[in-house]
Each structure stands twice: as structure tokens, then as C-alpha cells.
Amino acid sequence: AVQSPADLYCLLLGLNVCMGGRATACEECLLIHPSCAWCTQEEFGKVKTITSRCDLRQNLERRGCGARYIENPSSNTSILSNKPLSPKSSGSAEYDVIQIMPQKISLNLRPGQQASFEVQVRQVEDYPVDLYYLMDLSLSMKDDLDTIRNLGTKLAEEMKKITSNFRLGFGSFVDKNISPFSYTAPKYQDNPCNGYKRFPNCVPSFGFRHLLSLTDKVDRFNEEVQKQMVSRNRDAPEGGFDAILQASVCKERIGWRKEAYHLLVFTTDDIPHLALDGKLGGLVQPHDGQCHLNEANEYSASTKMDYPSLALLGEKLAENNIYLIFAVTKNLYMIYKNFTKLIPGTTVEILDQDSKNIIQLIVSAYNSIRSKVELTVWDHPEDISLAFTAKCQDGQPRIGLQRCVDLKIGETVSFNVSVEARSCPAPGTQHSFTIRPVGFKDRLEVSASYSCDCGCTQLTQPNSSRCASAGTYTCGVCHCEPGHLGRRCECRDGETSAQQMALCREADGKQPCSGRGDCSCDQCLCYESEFGRIYGAYCECDDFSCARHKGVLCSGHGECHCGECHCHPGYVGDNCNCSTATVTCLAEDGRMCSGRGSCVCGGCQCSEPGAFGDTCEKCPTCPDACSTKRECIECRLFNSGKLDNQTCQRLCKDEIITDEPGAVLCLYKTESDCVMKFTYSEHASGRSILTSLREPECGSAPDALTVLLAVVGSILLVGVALLAIWKLVITVHDRREFSRFQNARSRARYEMVRRGSLGDKRVGLPGLRGEKY
């Protein structure tokens, strides 16, 4: 016979979890495991113990329990509102635009059993956009202020290419006008720049000033910007987070529309003050998260309350569906990049020193925002767990992922949401929560009720004759009154025989009731423990003798059952300390740990030598850096290679530029025998930067005749050279030999002459002495 998933689950644990729980009531049985069912049939299990009524449904039926006597509720889902998604072009009136489906769902949850539903999201085209420009007007931003004086007109022209309904607003900030954040001496009251030679005149510092409500008259933006003057504060950090919070919560003053994308552009060249910094100026009251703009549209509580925390800032931005864009100078990029990890719905872009690239920056950030959909959960009940599986544009399920990226406007993505209740709250309790895409006004409202009661409890009989008139009969069992024991309350407390004592031993030689209870009327009554509950037919189980992690039982992510941790969904391990979520391991290119490691317990373990970073995304010395980027160069620049167009767009997100110092040179030969050169380096943000030649270097095939003539000519040339060298050597040698010959002959003549002269003297000369001539 084919085993059900519940049977397999029990076999994997090595026990029947339903019977092992030793439930004595129907409600207890249902809480053990979602596969457990309870038999209410009166004559069921006479020979067995009372706990045998709790078992797998198929086991109960096999043992003779009629189907109508089985209590086995299940989780279910009811869709209450399911209006279709708006088409790709918004077309209809703004208030009819629907970007999430369904809109309202009701769940009935049995603890431990999942209920699932699908959520679809589609971003419509030509959706209205509200953009509020929040600028740092400290002295160091003076050149930026000069640059943006005509920003409104230019920005409106660019945004009209994206939406026909665009509005623009403006606000500014400096810092709290108290010491030590600003100059407070009397001579600086009206002019903090007094005595500063470079800029001798500026306005007093202020916390936040709302200057222009959102409007489609962009000329007014230019007018307001031209009126502004910079100020001067004392310390380096600015009070920008005060300004962000006021711009978020003062909805009516700012003019945020309900049916529009809300963009808040925050420009600065320094770090912000955070919560608790206000104590330096004597501000001990935490920020209350409320709007405090006075009649002059200035932040009136600037010198009364501390700076807001990151958590409060993130909450208010999400509550008002606002995308925050940090436009900061390059030296601050990593600081604000870390802020984006703590504040949902935020992005960071690098701002030029004089803000010349602000328009391109805003358009780029907007396109990046519109290219992704991320779901968030609001008012999440503590006893309910949620699991997401994303199906993005490629249709492949991605378990644990709550977002899709690289989307085009009008594309539909879906998310499968599994909901599970961990426990049963008080009877009649209902919970609700909301699922919202980040930055959307659309939402899915989910209400949850609990299926924790058994229908048989409605037929409860107090003082029933079935229980010897000494107990309450409910769901097929007797619950005895104090002083009475037994299946039918037939025993009195204290009447214990040797035979009954034997029934309280799990095995021969073991202590009655495992030494943790008393045997009474063939049943074990387990002791109470300060550590938790002791239970079981022989008091052999408890809910506190399980593995711990950092002193926490089952790491707080599981339930202890008879010495074993039963982990909540999303966690595994002996002590449930290992998360199965992989969303934190996904790199920006969608690959797990950038393809350089594995995801273990929710974190990347980099296996590639030289790889590092949260997702192993940084690896400038990886041996395969050149080969992995080769295909991107081919498809991005020359529309060739193995990658098709769609795969290229999804995987190849590297920035390609013309020059990058300090990069690694990569060379390879293409299929057409051309030499391709490019360099590869890692940006501080972790993004790869590729530098490539615009055209590969291709050489023509050599001519055969030319090669032949060149070879023959080379041979002849070498031969002639060798002959010349040989001739030179022979000539030198002959001249030396001839010179030796001449010298030898000269010496021989000299010797002959010398010898002849000597002979004449010895023989002829004496006989001539007396002769006359």
C-alpha cells in the first residue's frame, strides 16, 4: 500500500507522533500534529489505553472507528474579494487601478497545518508620480544649490517620458539650532557665517523647512530654489532624518496623493544624526513620529525631541508608501548602503560633488524601483508563520523569496503564500494582517480564525452514567471527578494493587511511571515540574529535555516533544537553529551566493578562494573572473556568444566603461579567431566593472605564395650569409699563413747570407794578406 505523507513523516521520526503524544482529550490530540485525528466512538479501543483514540485517520478507520466518529478538521482558504488586475496601460480612472490580486482573504487555520493562496502583482504603465526633493542646505552644499536652480524644468521633461502625471515638491534642512549642533553665540544668531571669509553671509540654521507642496507647476520649483540661501552648522553630521520623517508623516502639507508613486529624494554630502545623538544637546524625549510643522511650515519640535531612530523612520516611510532615494557623494556610499538594509524600500545612488548628475540619478533610481516587486507583511501575528515562494518572469519557483527583480512595466508576477498557526489562542480569537508590495497603496487583507475545537464537545454529558456517575463524558472518554480514576471512573484514589502497579511499568525492571509519577488504578499520574510538563502513559516524556542553542530550548524555533525538537517551518537541525531561508544568500544577479559558495543556515559560506561579501559577490582575484565575464562582453557589446538576449539582460548587469585603473587584464580568442581584450574589477559596492575594446582584434589569413617566397628567401639569405662568413674566415686564415711563410723565407735568406760571410773569413782571408792588387 502507498503510504501517505503523514505516515512517512511518522516513520522518519521513528514513532507515531499521534499516539506518542498520549493525548487524553480531543483538543489535545488535534494540537499534536495536523495529521492526527480523534475517534469519538464509545466502544472504540476497549483493550487499548485511552490515548489510542488519537491516531492517523487511516489507522483509526483500520482499527474499526467509523468515519462519522472521526474528528479531523483541516485548514482552508476563502477568497472574499478578487477584482482583476488592471491592464498594462492604466487607461481607466486612477481610483480603479488594481495592482494586486486578490484583495481580501479569510483563513481558517488548524495549528500545524498550512493554508496556501496565490498573490499576483502587476505594475501598470503611466502611473502618477509624486517627487519631493529634500535638500541639505548646509554651507558645503552651496555649489549644489547653484546647479539645481533650473532642475524643475529639466526633471519634468525627463519624467514626462515615463509618466504623463508628474508633480514636484521641495524642502530643505540643516540641523537643530542648539549647541553643540549649531553656532549659538549671540554674534552668530542672525548670521552663522559671521567672520567666515569664503562665505561671509548665510541664514540661521534650521531643522526642516517645507518650501513647496507637490505641484505640476514646475516653474514654482525653480522660483523657490532660486530664493534659497545656505546655512552653517557646527558639527559634520546633518539633521536630515528629522526632515525625512516630517516629509513622510505630514501628508496633507506635502500633498502626497493616495493614487501615485511617492518618491522622496534626499541629497546630502555628509552623514546624518541618529537617535540618542540629541542627548548631546539635552534632548531626552524620543521622537513621537508625528507631524510638527507650524504655520510657517517649519519643524517646530526640532529643539524639543531627539532625532528619529532607523526603525521609526522605516515604519513611517512604509506606512505612507514612500520610496526613499539617498543621493549622496561617493565617500558616503557604503554608509548609506548599510542604511538601505535596515530601511525597507530605500535605494542609494552616487551624487556628483556639484549635483550635475541629479536628473540621471533620479531617473535611474525610479527605473530601478519600478523594475522590482517586493512583498512585506504588516501586523504579523506572533503565533502565525508565513512562507513565500516567488514565481517571477521566468516562471521558476524560488522558495523563500519575497521579491522579483528585472521586471518590465506590465509584467505579472505571482507569489505563493503558505500560512500556518503554531498554537491555539483563546476561543473566539481572530487575527488579521496585511500583505503589501513595497511602495504600493494596494494591499491584500488577510483575516485568520482558528480551528481548535472538536464538534463532539457540543454533546458533553456531565455526571454521565457511562462514567459511573463520577465524571463527564465527552468525545468518547470519561473525565473523572477528583478522587476517581479509571477509563470509566470505576476506581477510587488509593486503591492500587500489584497487578495495577505492573501496568504502570513501561518494561520489566523499570521504575513505575519512570520514577516521575504515581501509579493509581493502572494509570500513571505524572508529577508537576518547574521546568515544564511531564506526560506519557508511563511519564516517559516531557517538553523540556531537548537540545538548546545559546540556552534557548530548540533555539526558540521549535517545540520540544519527548526529547526531540520539532522545528517550526523554515528551520532544521537537532536544536532548530538552522534557517532554511535562502533569500539572504541571493546575489543581485539572482544566483545563490554569486555561484561562489553555498547557503548554510541563511548565510553564504564562500568556497571560491578569494571570494568574500555577504553573498560572495566580491572576488577580484578569482581564477575564473575572466571566463565568467567573457560571455557578458560578447552578448552586451557584440550580440554574439552563447547567451540569448533575455538571459544576457538577466545575468549581465555589470557596468561597462572605457577606462578603469587597477583592473585585471583578460584576453581570450573568439570562435572567429579574433582576440578580445577586456578588464575586470570590483567596485566598492560589490558591482563588477568591465572595461572593453569596442572591436575585437582580428588578423587576416596569410597568403601561401608570400609565405613560400619568404621561406625560400630566408633560406637563401642565410646561405649567402654563411658563405660570406666562411669566405671571410678562409681569407683571414690564408693571410695569416702567407705572412708566416714570408717571415720564414726572410729568415732563411738571412741565415744563408750570414753563414756565407762567416765562411770567407775563416778560409780565404789569411792567404790574401801578402798579395797586392
Side-chain angles (χ1 to χ4, degrees):
V2 179
Q3 292 176 313
S4 69
D7 286 328
L8 293 174
Y9 178 84
C10 296
L11 289 173
L12 287 172
L13 290 179
L15 49 82
N16 185 321
V17 291
C18 302
M19 296 183 66
R22 308 297 185 185
T24 60
C26 181
E27 287 80 2
E28 292 180 13
C29 175
L30 300 185
L31 287 174
I32 294 175
H33 190 268
S35 64
C36 297
W38 179 268
C39 180
T40 66
Q41 189 172 314
E42 182 178 356
E43 300 302 323
F44 178 77
K46 276 189 175 181
V47 190
K48 303 289 183 179
T49 62
I50 194 170
T51 54
S52 64
R53 291 180 177 272
C54 184
D55 204 342
L56 303 174
R57 183 184 184 95
Q58 57 269 36
N59 289 350
L60 292 176
E61 292 177 345
R62 187 168 56 245
R63 289 164 49 202
C65 184
R68 63 193 182 97
Y69 294 109
I70 296 178
E71 292 279 349
N72 187 27
S74 60
S75 299
N76 57 76
T77 303
S78 299
I79 298 178
L80 305 181
S81 178
N82 195 30
K83 297 178 183 178
L85 296 171
S86 298
K88 292 185 178 180
S89 178
S90 59
S92 56
E94 292 176 6
Y95 55 82
D96 289 328
V97 173
I98 296 174
Q99 300 182 95
I100 188 171
M101 184 180 76
Q103 296 81 43
K104 188 175 290 188
I105 281 180
S106 175
L107 303 176
N108 186 27
L109 300 175
R110 175 180 174 178
Q113 188 176 68
Q114 292 184 345
S116 300
F117 55 88
E118 186 177 71
V119 181
Q120 292 186 337
V121 182
R122 178 197 294 157
Q123 299 189 74
V124 299
E125 297 176 356
D126 197 24
Y127 200 69
V129 176
D130 287 347
L131 189 149
Y132 192 79
Y133 194 89
L134 187 56
M135 184 175 183
D136 177 4
L137 283 188
S138 58
L139 193 59
S140 57
M141 294 287 285
K142 187 178 186 306
D143 55 343
D144 301 77
L145 180 61
D146 296 335
T147 301
I148 70 162
R149 294 196 184 277
N150 295 313
L151 172 67
T153 304
K154 297 177 182 178
L155 182 58
E157 291 175 356
E158 288 296 322
M159 293 302 292
K160 281 181 180 178
K161 300 175 183 178
I162 300 172
T163 176
S164 61
N165 196 338
F166 174 69
R167 298 201 309 173
L168 187 62
F170 182 59
S172 61
F173 67 90
V174 182
D175 207 346
K176 297 181 183 294
N177 194 14
I178 58 174
S179 181
F181 311 118
S182 298
Y183 291 95
T184 57
K187 67 175 182 178
Y188 297 124
Q189 287 295 320
D190 298 324
N191 181 13
C193 296
N194 188 2
Y196 190 61
K197 295 182 179 179
R198 291 185 60 192
F199 303 104
N201 296 308
C202 59
V203 298
S205 61
F206 54 90
F208 166 65
R209 187 173 291 160
H210 169 53
L211 300 168
L212 178 66
S213 298
L214 291 163
T215 177
D216 55 3
K217 297 179 176 59
V218 295
D219 290 340
R220 290 192 57 196
F221 179 91
N222 297 337
E223 293 172 4
E224 287 297 331
V225 172
Q226 291 171 5
K227 295 177 185 177
Q228 303 310 307
M229 292 182 61
V230 294
S231 182
R232 185 188 183 198
N233 58 324
R234 192 168 192 172
D235 60 349
E238 319 291 5
F241 281 7
D242 266 342
I244 292 175
L245 193 138
Q246 292 303 299
S248 301
V249 299
C250 299
K251 296 181 288 186
E252 291 76 15
R253 296 286 190 92
I254 303 298
W256 297 115
R257 293 176 291 180
K258 184 178 180 182
E259 302 289 342
Y261 279 110
H262 302 160
L263 304 182
L264 179 55
V265 180
F266 176 84
T267 61
T268 186
D269 63 350
D270 222 316
I271 59 175
H273 277 296
L274 303 175
L276 302 181
D277 284 358
K279 290 188 175 182
L280 296 172
L283 304 179
V284 295
Q285 181 182 350
H287 205 293
D288 60 5
Q290 302 299 315
C291 178
H292 293 283
L293 292 185
N294 57 23
E295 294 180 356
N297 282 330
E298 292 190 0
Y299 177 37
S300 60
S302 177
T303 58
K304 300 177 182 177
M305 290 190 296
D306 193 8
Y307 299 96
S309 65
L310 290 173
L312 179 62
L313 206 61
E315 176 187 339
K316 295 304 178 182
L317 287 168
E319 186 179 295
N320 295 286
N321 305 319
I322 295 174
Y323 286 108
L324 176 60
I325 301 172
F326 288 124
V328 299
T329 49
K330 187 175 183 179
N331 60 310
L332 301 175
Y333 179 84
M334 290 309 301
I335 295 176
Y336 282 88
K337 181 71 173 177
N338 291 332
F339 286 154
T340 64
K341 298 177 182 178
L342 303 174
I343 307 176
T346 58
T347 59
V348 59
E349 299 288 344
I350 296 178
L351 182 71
D352 289 347
Q353 290 293 338
D354 56 0
S355 296
K356 285 184 178 179
N357 67 330
I358 186 64
I359 294 179
Q360 294 83 357
L361 183 152
I362 293 173
V363 173
S364 173
Y366 175 77
N367 290 331
S368 174
I369 290 169
R370 292 277 276 167
S371 68
K372 61 186 176 183
V373 169
E374 181 174 3
L375 297 186
T376 57
V377 181
W378 286 71
D379 303 322
H380 186 179
E382 292 183 358
D383 63 341
I384 289 180
S385 64
L386 297 175
F388 291 83
T389 299
K391 286 186 179 181
C392 302
Q393 61 270 38
D394 58 1
Q396 297 297 320
R398 290 177 170 83
I399 299 174
L401 199 63
Q402 293 178 230
R403 65 173 181 169
C404 289
V405 297
D406 298 330
L407 301 176
K408 296 179 181 177
I409 303 301
E411 287 186 334
T412 303
V413 294
S414 63
F415 301 86
N416 184 273
V417 185
S418 298
V419 186
E420 180 180 329
R422 300 194 187 103
S423 60
C424 279
T429 300
Q430 285 196 339
H431 286 133
S432 62
F433 58 93
T434 302
I435 297 177
R436 294 168 51 181
V438 174
F440 285 52
K441 61 91 181 175
D442 304 76
R443 66 190 65 194
L444 167 60
E445 297 177 358
V446 183
S447 60
S449 58
Y450 298 83
S451 182
C452 297
D453 299 326
C454 296
C456 56
T457 56
Q458 299 178 4
L459 304 175
T460 299
Q461 300 175 8
N463 299 318
S464 174
S465 58
R466 297 172 176 173
C467 304
S469 299
T472 299
Y473 182 80
T474 180
C475 296
V477 297
C478 288
H479 296 280
C480 303
E481 295 177 357
H484 293 267
L485 301 170
R487 293 184 67 238
R488 298 298 178 190
C489 305
E490 69 274 17
C491 297
R492 286 186 174 273
D493 194 10
E495 298 177 354
T496 305
S497 64
Q499 183 179 3
Q500 292 172 340
M501 184 67 72
L503 296 176
C504 292
R505 300 179 190 273
E506 187 174 7
D508 292 341
K510 289 195 174 183
Q511 291 182 327
C513 302
S514 305
R516 302 200 295 179
D518 292 331
C519 181
S520 181
C521 194
D522 74 16
Q523 291 183 354
C524 284
L525 301 179
C526 302
Y527 298 143
E528 292 184 357
S529 172
E530 60 179 322
F531 301 109
R533 185 170 72 94
I534 299 175
Y535 60 94
Y538 309 103
C539 302
E540 74 278 13
C541 293
D542 61 57
D543 61 0
F544 52 83
S545 298
C546 289
R548 298 171 182 265
H549 179 66
K550 295 182 179 180
V552 180
L553 189 68
C554 298
S555 305
H557 301 303
E559 307 294 337
C560 181
H561 290 293
C562 209
E564 292 187 359
C565 286
H566 293 183
C567 302
H568 295 155
Y571 293 90
V572 294
D574 293 339
N575 53 12
C576 304
N577 70 322
C578 185
S579 171
T580 60
T582 58
V583 62
T584 54
C585 297
L586 289 175
E588 290 186 359
D589 60 3
R591 293 187 298 167
M592 194 68 65
C593 298
S594 304
R596 298 168 180 152
S598 56
C599 189
V600 180
C601 295
C604 280
Q605 291 188 355
C606 304
S607 57
E608 186 74 34
F612 64 99
D614 293 339
T615 57
C616 306
E617 73 279 7
K618 301 177 182 178
C619 190
T621 60
C622 280
D624 64 341
C626 291
S627 59
T628 56
K629 302 302 178 183
R630 163 183 174 174
E631 295 178 347
C632 290
I633 286 289
E634 291 183 346
C635 73
R636 285 278 299 278
L637 290 184
F638 308 107
N639 295 322
S640 61
K642 301 177 181 178
L643 300 182
D644 57 45
N645 203 24
Q646 183 177 358
T647 306
C648 181
Q649 293 297 325
R650 180 168 59 86
L651 296 181
C652 300
K653 303 175 184 176
D654 305 309
E655 180 183 358
I656 299 180
I657 61 176
T658 57
D659 186 28
E660 177 68 14
V664 178
L665 177 63
C666 301
L667 299 94
Y668 70 93
K669 183 174 289 188
T670 66
E671 296 177 356
S672 56
D673 290 333
C674 297
V675 177
M676 180 78 74
K677 296 181 181 179
F678 68 95
T679 62
Y680 166 74
S681 61
E682 293 277 358
H683 192 270
S685 64
R687 181 166 52 172
S688 302
I689 298 178
L690 305 179
T691 307
S692 173
L693 298 176
R694 295 304 301 178
E695 295 293 337
E697 298 177 0
C698 301
S700 58
D703 182 69
L705 181 60
T706 303
V707 174
L708 179 61
L709 293 175
V711 171
V712 173
S714 299
I715 294 174
L716 291 174
L717 182 63
V718 171
V720 171
L722 291 174
L723 287 173
I725 294 171
W726 177 80
K727 180 63 176 177
L728 178 63
V729 171
I730 293 299
T731 300
V732 172
H733 178 268
D734 288 348
R735 287 181 177 179
R736 286 179 179 175
E737 290 298 323
F738 182 75
S739 177
R740 289 191 188 124
F741 171 75
Q742 291 286 10
N743 291 335
R745 191 171 67 171
S746 298
R747 284 197 298 271
R749 286 179 179 177
Y750 175 76
E751 289 293 332
M752 291 176 63
V753 171
R754 188 174 65 84
R755 289 176 183 175
S757 300
L758 291 176
D760 290 341
K761 288 180 180 181
R762 289 194 297 268
V763 179
L765 291 178
L768 297 175
R769 289 181 180 176
E771 294 181 3
K772 294 182 181 179
Y773 292 92

